[in-house]
Amino acid sequence: MTNPKEHSSSQPECFHCLESIPLGFIQTVEYNNHLQPVCCIGCQAVAESIISSGMTDYYKFRTTAAGKVQELIPEQLLMFKSYDDADIQEDFIHQSGELSEVLLSIEGISCAACAWLIEKQLLTLGHITRIDVNTSTHRAMILWDKSNLKLSTIIEALVRIGYKAYPFQPDIEEAQKQQVAKSYIRRLGVAGIMTMQVMMFAFALYFDMFSDMEDDFEQYFRWISFVLSSPVILYSALPFLTSAIRALKVKQLNMDLPVSLAIFGAYIASTWATVFNTGEVYFESICMFTFLLLLGKYLEFRARLKASEFTSNLQKLLPLTARIVEGFQEQIIAAKKLKLNDIILVKPGEIIPADGLVMEGKTTIDESMMTGEHEAVAKVVNDQVYAGTTNHDGVVKISINQLGTHTLINQIVTLQNKALASRPKLAEITDKVAQWFVATLLVVASITAIYWYGIDPEQAFWITISVLVATCPCALSLAIPTALTCSVANLTKKGVLIKKAHVLETLTKIDSIAFDKTGTLTEGCFTIKKSHYLNDNYDGQTILALASGLEFHSQHPIAKAFNFDTSSIGLFDDISVETGFGIKAIYKGQTIAIGKNGWFETLKLPVQVVLYINEKAIAAFELEDKIRDRADKLITYLKNKQFNTHLLTGDPSQAGIALAKKLSFDDVKIGCSPEQKQKHVANIIKQNHIIAMVGDGVNDSPVFNTAHLSIAMESGADISKNTADIVLLNSDLSSIEHLIEISHKTRRIIKQNLALSLIYNSAILPLAAMGMVQPWMAVIGMSASSIIVITNSLRLLKPF
Amino acid sequence: MSIIYVLIPIAIIFVIIAIAVFFWAVKSDQFSDLDKQAHSILFDDTEIKNKTNKKKSENNDDTSSL
């Protein structure tokens, strides 16, 4: 555990968020009778409200810094109010008797101290019966009295201590996963507790071999072991049996079949031995086996559950509310109540709730979540706008022409779901091994039974059972889950989330990789490529400071390229945005403006942005979307490994071809719609290639389900992260290299594990068939082979 | 030694109770977030009360000075 306060450098840090304090900002808060500096008014307000309500423990025990607090604008407060609307609430509030239950997804939870802070803060509101904050899913379940406390009040209370919250509805798939996780824990608990008891009696029975025990006691202990192990076998081990039967029904043999044969075969034989007081009992072995196997499977499942929880916490694509205009009145209603031809008003920064035509006003719209292109698109009267895109700078009235499933965004989602149903699947190595194993086992067991039946019918049954127990595929069935768990843990540490079980195995078979351009190979945001200074009276530093100071007030994606130090300049007056041109203001009596080339004076330079002072061009900037640092290295690596590389971009310009040439891609397709991307990938698959797709936008999500494997960037759209098999948390392309390396290493370890366990099983099989194996020998052999396999898997945890 | 004929069944009853408690804990989401529970011992519940008491006494002082 590291204390964030220890990271302090010579520069003063904000007491709340630990970020550096901008020069000239000298606000403080009082904590433990000392004045502590803060970096902004937002952090100050939050820190004061935390300290004044007596929750200073938060600062004492937190393990990570709090997020920087953003001040709320009145528009957002209005949004919170809309959560109190009954129409909107029915989507995410469940009524249980008098009380209501809601799940809030909370941004900014970073450690256990946050959970404590949130619980404390909300309980002071009263009328809350129960609150449960989960720090790994970043959600809070709240059970409260709706009639006395509004949901918006709860959300506002969270904002006051620096957390952004919004109501959340988990999808069906995730709810099912949670159920599976719970049932794993229950089965594991029963197996663990009961195995301990059974082992205790087993030891008593072991000692019986060295010193004679009274027959009554021996029989009594056997009965007790039977009673205690029955729940383990009939409850905890049941999923193995059902899975084996399910596979048999579709005429397949899977790994669960030999497992169930061993567990249930030995259980029935031991029960027989107990009831009729003959033979041997194996209760402790099968209980231990069940427990270990469940543990391995649960750990693997949990690693994937955590990854999928991370991405399912994402905001809905479309806003819940819309601002409808009727006559001259505007009114906020639930977005799902909108009808065709309704007129809605969309303000700057808002997300458009439905497809429609612009009726009035002009604006620029960020359609990046659809197209992946971050350059905003200008829209005037009669232009089509799409649900889910973000309005930038103008206020527009929109007449709705498509709703619900007919909107473009929902059509993309439908496309994606269709692709999922027909997704190619590769046979998994486990099942292949299992088929051989089961076949051999059954043949040997039946030969043993028949052979011994001829020689000694009395012994035949017991020797056959000992064959089943001795060949119990304990190490074999641990070989794969343990290796996968260790690799997934290693990858998670590197910021790579694995969401599907097949990923590591599929990765080793891949021979082609397709990339999206904007946001994947490039950073998806603009940086200054070249600056032209046109007036000697202003030096570069002042020009950049002025440009940054002005662009700070702009929502346009280009504005992000200008984030230079503005401490040398003063404040702007009369800031105004001119839609389609840029932004201007008065500074020290002069009109200063920044915007597109040709706003005032047209320059014959290939520049996108020009800075004007009193309508004279002072400086001009060439911008570009920078290629990610590691892109070059990654493509070279893939070339060396004989991968085919494809570039599929939605951008129709020549930039894609230029980029493909620069990075020497094998193949490039430009101007692709989501369907065309799917088609290209499907074609590649038809040529017997196994392909992975790397992308980030909404337009990539359908193709994600067409490719064998999909990788999304953390910086990408929520929906693509939700669909992808793998999410790169640091959006670092070199992770892909690491991913491929580790998948090959995992495969090597799995093969070693399988070989080791098969050696043990094939060595003991003939001995058991000859009736030469004592139960204790089988137990020692089984444990030793399992330990060897687990230790081998642990090697994957080592970073390399 | 025949006492074990009674003691072991009693022990089994305890085990059953333990499992019942465990099932209840799983059902009420106590295993969904293991990080938070581990840290919860660090936090005091009493501090708020102290503060409010202090505030009350401050308020009293204020009124007395008025």
Side-chain angles (χ1 to χ4, degrees), chain A residues 580-694:
Chain A
F581 290 105
I583 185 164
K584 68 177 182 182
I586 307 289
Y587 176 70
K588 291 185 180 163
Q590 305 189 82
T591 311
I592 121 158
I594 190 163
K596 75 180 203 183
N597 188 12
W599 188 1
F600 299 108
E601 186 185 346
T602 310
L603 299 170
K604 288 200 174 60
L605 286 167
V607 293
Q608 288 100 323
V609 178
V610 182
L611 179 74
Y612 299 94
I613 295 185
N614 290 336
E615 307 196 353
K616 291 280 282 180
I618 298 298
F621 305 96
E622 285 177 43
L623 301 179
E624 66 167 355
D625 187 2
K626 217 174 87 189
I627 300 173
R628 282 188 196 272
D629 291 343
R630 311 286 174 82
D632 199 15
K633 217 178 125 219
L634 173 70
I635 302 297
T636 323
Y637 168 83
L638 293 176
K639 284 261 147 219
N640 289 338
K641 292 262 166 184
Q642 314 286 327
F643 281 91
N644 294 320
T645 48
H646 304 265
L647 183 68
L648 304 175
T649 172
D651 180 6
S653 75
Q654 294 299 308
I657 293 175
L659 182 76
K661 213 172 201 176
K662 194 172 167 196
L663 295 176
S664 62
F665 269 86
D666 293 332
D667 176 34
V668 53
K669 294 275 186 298
I670 58 168
C672 300
S673 67
E675 290 97 331
Q676 282 169 327
K677 282 193 181 189
Q678 278 187 308
K679 229 178 254 166
H680 287 308
V681 168
N683 274 339
I684 296 168
I685 293 174
K686 255 187 219 149
Q687 295 157 18
N688 287 327
H689 288 297
I690 306 215
I691 186 166
M693 175 77 204
V694 190

Side-chain angles (χ1 to χ4, degrees), chain A residues 190 194-195 197-198 222-236 267 270-271 282-284 286-287 290:
Chain A
V190 170
M194 288 306 193
T195 303
Q197 316 302 318
V198 177
R222 283 181 166 203
W223 273 103
I224 295 284
S225 304
F226 165 72
V227 169
L228 289 169
S229 59
S230 293
V232 181
I233 309 305
L234 300 179
Y235 174 70
S236 299
Y267 177 68
S270 306
T271 310
Y282 300 95
F283 289 123
E284 81 289 359
I286 50 177
C287 283
T290 307

Side-chain angles (χ1 to χ4, degrees), chain A residues 1 52-54 56-58 61 63 112-113 115-116 119-120 130 132-136 182 185-186 189-190 193-194 197 201 216-217 220-221 224 228 235 302, chain B residues 1-2 4-9 11-12 15-16 18-19 22-23 26-37 39-40 42-45 47-48 51 55:
Chain A
M1 198 160 86
S52 69
S53 49
T56 45
D57 268 4
Y58 167 72
F61 296 119
T63 48
W116 174 82
E119 288 177 1
K120 272 265 128 48
R130 191 175 152 210
D132 188 10
V133 180
N134 189 322
T135 53
S136 61
K182 275 190 183 179
I185 296 175
R186 276 199 301 266
V190 170
I193 294 171
M194 288 306 193
Q197 316 302 318
F201 294 105
D216 281 359
F217 278 136
Y220 180 56
F221 282 168
I224 295 284
L228 289 169
Y235 174 70
R302 202 179 69 146
Chain B
M1 271 304 268
S2 55
I4 63 165
Y5 287 109
V6 184
L7 286 180
I8 290 175
I12 291 178
V15 170
I16 290 169
I19 287 178
F22 176 72
F23 271 40
V26 173
K27 198 179 166 210
S28 55
D29 280 333
Q30 295 189 28
F31 285 87
S32 57
D33 181 12
L34 299 173
D35 272 2
K36 189 184 75 182
Q37 313 298 352
H39 283 83
S40 63
L42 289 172
F43 298 102
D44 289 332
D45 285 337
E47 205 159 332
I48 292 177
K51 279 268 169 174
K55 262 186 196 159

